[in-house]
Amino acid sequence: MSQKEGLRANSFQFTLEGEPFRILGGSIHYFRVPRAYWEDRLLKMRACGVNTLTTYVPWNLHEPERGIFNFQDQLDLKAYISLAAELGLWVILRPGPYICAEWDLGGLPSWLLRDKNMKLRTTYPGFTEAVNSFFDKLIPIIKPLQFEEGGPIIAVQVENEYGSYAKDEQYMPFIKEALLSRGTNELLLTSDNREGLKCGGVDGVLKTVNLQRLAYGTIQYLAYMQPQKPLLVMEYWSGWFDVWSESHHVFPAEDMLAVVSQILEASVSINLYMFHGGTSFGFMNGAVANLGTYKPQVSSYDYDAPLSEAGDYTTKYQLLRNLFSQFHSEKLPEVPSLQARRVYEPVIIQQHLSLWESLQFTEKPLKSEEPVNMENLPVNSNNGQSYGYTLYETTISSGGLLNSRNNVKDRALVFVDRHFVGVLDYKSVEFALPDGKGERTLSLLVENCGRVNYGKALDDQRKGLVGDIVLNHVPLKDFTIYCLDMKPNFLKRLSAASQWNSVPQKPSFPGFFQGILYVDGHPRDTFIRLPGWSKGVVFINGQNLGRHWSIGPQKTLYLPGPWLKSGNNQIIVFEEQKADDKLVFVENPDHGKTIDVYKYPFCVLL
């Protein structure tokens, strides 16, 4: 048990163990990095001169169903923090409950939205009760890892960027007390952009700031608001995230270095967000609703960070290592060698199963007079559907004008008698259905493309059909609703199915396409490329690698070597509209055409 004093903020500079301390921090999210690579990434961080790891805690992964908690394997937070300590890193923990992070619903569980009156990030009883239940489980895990008990956690963040939300004056005091009452005894801090500093703080908690450039006097403003306190840029944005259909955002290395140098010259502490971005595997990407326009984020979270998505050193890494070495009295550790990569032979698609044939492997469908949104479906032990696709089917007896009334969240492929007829989304809310004889089946395959993770629209992130769809101004009724969340158990049932067919010359879409990747020898990292495919999801040995979409910017999916095995590896692609006869592998990622982040309007707003 350490008898020394932890991180303190009692003067113009931080002290740790009673000595002056400069935070040279970096963010790496354990949930975005395969567990087999945690040590590799943290060693590379240490070799860059970073002394403090910061990470969020994603509530929606740790409590996927109400009262069912998971802190094992990939989500073993205790093991991650303990590993950081072994490697000589301090830790600043950011437990939320809201984390933003370009993560679905900012890390909040979707089952919260089953309550039609839910008010997220407020003291609404339905929310505070859920937070208390989660913290009852989370805080005992991290309590023994605090500095005062000999662990590496030197500070804990109270919520995240609440000044940009600020719907309830009692909320931040509630979160602060929720942490303190359960034994969180290290330095507490908040984190906000410049505008958020006005109303994001809470009494007795250190304010920190998020920024990318030094315009607007942001650091001076923080010093003015909090005199005689040390200054910390909690999120120095080393790059930026990407959204589908736009360009890959980059922040030139020399520009980044210039700002970081100025921050350090001013005796300010810093945390690089991100130091290593990793990947939003599965369906976990978030979305932005900038100026009212919904834009889902891509699966890659490369972020143009100092360490690339696959853990490669970038120019930013080298520049930062040179800079940070000046703040260490001893020589920095040697830079670890890179993981080897491999370009595998193309995988030939051998089998096909149509979406319609796959429905027998879903949970029992719901019959409902009205459409039911994903979160309120009676599936997953009555926790609703969180991610993926939902199929709504009903009967029509005429053609005419189909209008979504903007109740499709977020994108629907529309079929008549299982023949594709059009798309409904935020931009296309109506089109004409062809006439036909007698009763026909109208099907809408609705995709949750990612819930908004930032801003004041969090309460409005229910997915699927969230209201009536009308045909010739008359609401459609009597739906059969299938949950297609594509969780591991569904993939297992699908894999074992005898219904798979050889790929026909004209396969049915949407559909599942299967092939085998044979790995000779030790598996290595690689990237999958899907030329000739349109839009869907890729699974390898049951692991969801993320979404592919030909509109870009992201053109490749990262496939970590540890998720492969020697011998045969099963690859399944769910494809919505267009397929090729193979998948190809490349050594390096293709994030698409680039644009300087300064030209991106959302970043300017922050």
Side-chain angles (χ1 to χ4, degrees), residues 48 256 260 272 306 316-324:
C48 192
M256 182 211 70
V260 174
L272 292 149
K316 289 180 180 177
Y317 182 96
Q318 307 298 347
L319 293 173
L320 285 170
R321 188 170 192 264
N322 291 338
L323 177 62
F324 286 171

Side-chain angles (χ1 to χ4, degrees), residues 347-350 503 531-533 579-583:
V347 166
I348 304 303
I349 299 299
Q350 297 164 324
V503 182
W533 299 73
D580 192 29
D581 62 353
K582 62 182 179 299
L583 304 173

Side-chain angles (χ1 to χ4, degrees), residues 198-211:
K198 297 174 184 175
C199 47
V202 59
D203 288 347
V205 174
L206 183 74
K207 292 182 174 71
T208 71
V209 75
N210 305 337
L211 55 82

